[in-house]
Amino acid sequence: MTAPNRPIYLDNHATTPPDPRVLAAMRPWWEENFSNPASVEHAMGRAAEEAVESARRDIAALIGADSREIILTSGATEANNLAIKGVARFARTHGDERFARAAGDGRRRIVTVATEHKCVLESVRDLAAEGFDPVFLPVAADGLLDPATLREALEVPTLLVSAMAVNNETGVIQDVAALAALAREHGALFHTDAAQAAGRVPLDVEEMRLDLVSLSAHKMYGPKGIGALYVRRRPRVRLSPLLSGGGQERGLRSGTLPAPLVVGFGEAARIARLEALLDEGRIRGQRDRFVEALTAAVPGVRLNGHAENRVPGNLNLTFPGSVDAQRIMAAAPGVCVSTGSACSSASVEPSYVLRALGLPEHEARATLRIGIGRFTSPADVDRAAAELARAWHAALSEAPHPAAA
């Protein structure tokens, strides 16, 4: 429960608070054994290496992978860049000699979705300058990609498809297993940004036949600054590294591993695997309580994205009266919410994700993203709903009347 004088945190899609168990697991690796995990010549280094490998096994177990398929990175942004650019550059460099599965016919098409995270969209755009053909597919009004749309795009030989599992703004869950099957049917590799999905929805890379999966610790109550890329071994997916260096992480990601962060990531993944269903039920209850209170106080507030195919903690809400969401937030400083992706928060433009769903600009600007999490209490959602309703009424009364505009 949040203390009365402390802001209520409802921005769990931007980041989650670290679980106290994660902090406890990390602490010895800051204070007692700070050794480099690559320093295997001595006991402290070997202990750090074993802690890293144990954490890697926990991360792998969360998504049904083999620990040898987990490449540790600085976060999901780096993992997404490595997946997309790594596949493309390997295909360009090695062609049909070593990449016959997807690139033997000289494929240069990279397909993604208009509502992806910025780091995916920009990675795909960057490849245009390297001779690749980027394709950005539209979504329906509910935020879902129609498989028929992807199938049509795949009529042109395609190297890679990238579609996120859970949207970071709307919380919409894509059927990545079906999309991956389509990609595989057409000889393309499939990557998913699962930063918002891991720990929130079931993921099994073998059952879903995913080739590449990006993860982020701080979206699942772990530390910031650490993430991972799952890279399928059988059949093997080949990448070119982004960084040159000492060849850590099987040559795909050079750099000294931050043992405390890796340990924290592993503990967060372990907890998520064991407690995901408990979290889901608790969060769903808090969400329903919040919605009931807010809709009673703000008639006409509208949910964006598919009503059922979404993670329970996400509410992407457009407020009536075209009241700018920034004004609502300013009038409710005791509630921490957002207008969209934290990575785009410096932009004054309305959310490109909401525009892709068909919202006009004035509605996109009147939209807040609410993120309920593991540590959100009933008192938190009651107070937040009341504060946001009060802020909306205040902002509405101060807004210029349309006739006077």
Side-chain angles (χ1 to χ4, degrees), residues 9-23:
Y9 186 76
L10 294 181
D11 198 18
N12 283 281
H13 300 293
T15 193
T16 53
D19 190 293
R21 292 168 288 183
V22 169
L23 295 176

Side-chain angles (χ1 to χ4, degrees), residues 370-404:
I370 314 294
I372 296 168
R374 179 180 293 171
F375 302 111
T376 306
S377 71
D380 290 338
V381 296
D382 290 347
R383 183 178 148 204
E387 284 291 301
L388 290 173
R390 179 196 58 76
W392 174 76
H393 282 287
L396 184 66
S397 67
E398 296 170 2
H401 192 279

Side-chain angles (χ1 to χ4, degrees), residues 81-172:
N81 273 262
L82 176 58
I84 295 166
K85 294 176 181 176
V87 162
R89 290 171 181 169
F90 189 95
R92 182 189 61 199
T93 302
H94 299 285
D96 59 0
E97 289 181 21
R98 299 169 65 190
F99 208 75
R101 179 182 172 203
D105 51 8
R107 297 174 186 228
R108 289 293 179 267
R109 174 171 275 210
I110 312 288
V111 173
T112 189
V113 186
T115 51
E116 293 294 304
H117 192 279
K118 282 281 190 182
C119 64
V120 168
L121 298 177
E122 293 305 315
S123 292
V124 174
R125 290 191 180 105
D126 287 347
L127 289 172
E130 300 180 29
F132 291 88
D133 177 22
V135 176
F136 303 93
L137 300 181
V139 295
D142 60 7
L144 292 173
L145 173 64
D146 185 343
T149 301
L150 176 58
R151 184 182 292 277
E152 182 179 354
L154 290 169
E155 290 177 2
V156 176
T158 298
L159 174 63
L160 176 71
V161 176
S162 180
M164 72 196 319
V166 171
N167 188 268
N168 55 303
E169 291 195 27
T170 64
V172 168

Side-chain angles (χ1 to χ4, degrees), residues 144-145 147 163-165 172-181 190 208 309:
L144 292 173
L145 173 64
M164 72 196 319
V172 168
I173 303 171
Q174 296 286 353
D175 187 352
V176 292
L179 301 178
F190 186 85
M208 302 168 82
N309 290 348

Side-chain angles (χ1 to χ4, degrees), residues 188-217:
L189 295 174
F190 186 85
H191 163 253
T192 188
D193 174 357
Q196 298 286 347
R200 292 188 172 115
V201 299
L203 289 172
D204 188 309
V205 295
E206 286 301 324
E207 181 180 328
M208 302 168 82
R209 302 301 296 166
L210 307 176
D211 294 307
L212 297 140
V213 179
S214 299
L215 304 171
S216 176

Side-chain angles (χ1 to χ4, degrees), residues 158-402:
T158 298
L159 174 63
L160 176 71
V161 176
S162 180
M164 72 196 319
V166 171
N167 188 268
N168 55 303
E169 291 195 27
T170 64
V172 168
I173 303 171
Q174 296 286 353
D175 187 352
V176 292
L179 301 178
L182 275 175
R184 188 167 61 254
E185 177 187 327
H186 289 81
L189 295 174
F190 186 85
H191 163 253
T192 188
D193 174 357
Q196 298 286 347
R200 292 188 172 115
V201 299
L203 289 172
D204 188 309
V205 295
E206 286 301 324
E207 181 180 328
M208 302 168 82
R209 302 301 296 166
L210 307 176
D211 294 307
L212 297 140
V213 179
S214 299
L215 304 171
S216 176
H218 78 100
K219 305 295 188 181
M220 61 173 82
Y221 307 95
K224 298 173 183 64
I226 187 72
L229 178 65
Y230 160 79
V231 183
R232 175 172 290 282
R233 294 181 73 237
R234 293 178 180 165
R236 189 176 183 184
V237 175
R238 304 299 298 267
L239 308 175
S240 290
L242 299 181
L243 303 175
S244 300
Q248 293 92 335
E249 294 302 284
R250 298 172 179 82
L252 291 177
R253 205 287 182 178
S254 293
T256 298
L257 288 175
L261 300 184
V262 178
V263 168
F265 191 3
E267 179 67 1
R270 186 191 67 82
I271 293 168
R273 183 167 59 88
L274 296 177
E275 300 182 5
L277 288 177
L278 179 65
D279 273 352
E280 180 183 5
R282 183 191 305 115
I283 291 169
R284 190 180 300 277
Q286 307 293 40
R287 179 201 65 186
D288 292 346
R289 184 181 181 118
F290 177 86
V291 169
E292 183 178 358
L294 186 67
T295 53
V298 184
V301 68
R302 189 187 73 241
L303 178 70
N304 297 306
H306 198 285
E308 301 299 328
N309 290 348
R310 64 187 309 112
V311 290
N314 178 284
L315 288 166
N316 191 284
L317 300 173
T318 297
F319 284 71
S322 298
V323 177
D324 195 300
Q326 295 285 352
R327 299 182 66 181
I328 299 174
M329 292 169 63
V335 183
C336 299
V337 293
S338 63
T339 57
S341 172
C343 299
S344 304
S345 60
S347 173
V348 297
E349 295 299 317
S351 163
Y352 68 89
V353 171
L354 296 180
R355 297 306 302 275
L357 269 60
L359 270 69
E361 181 173 337
H362 69 279
E363 290 188 359
R365 291 187 182 277
T367 299
L368 288 176
R369 179 182 66 171
I370 314 294
I372 296 168
R374 179 180 293 171
F375 302 111
T376 306
S377 71
D380 290 338
V381 296
D382 290 347
R383 183 178 148 204
E387 284 291 301
L388 290 173
R390 179 196 58 76
W392 174 76
H393 282 287
L396 184 66
S397 67
E398 296 170 2
H401 192 279

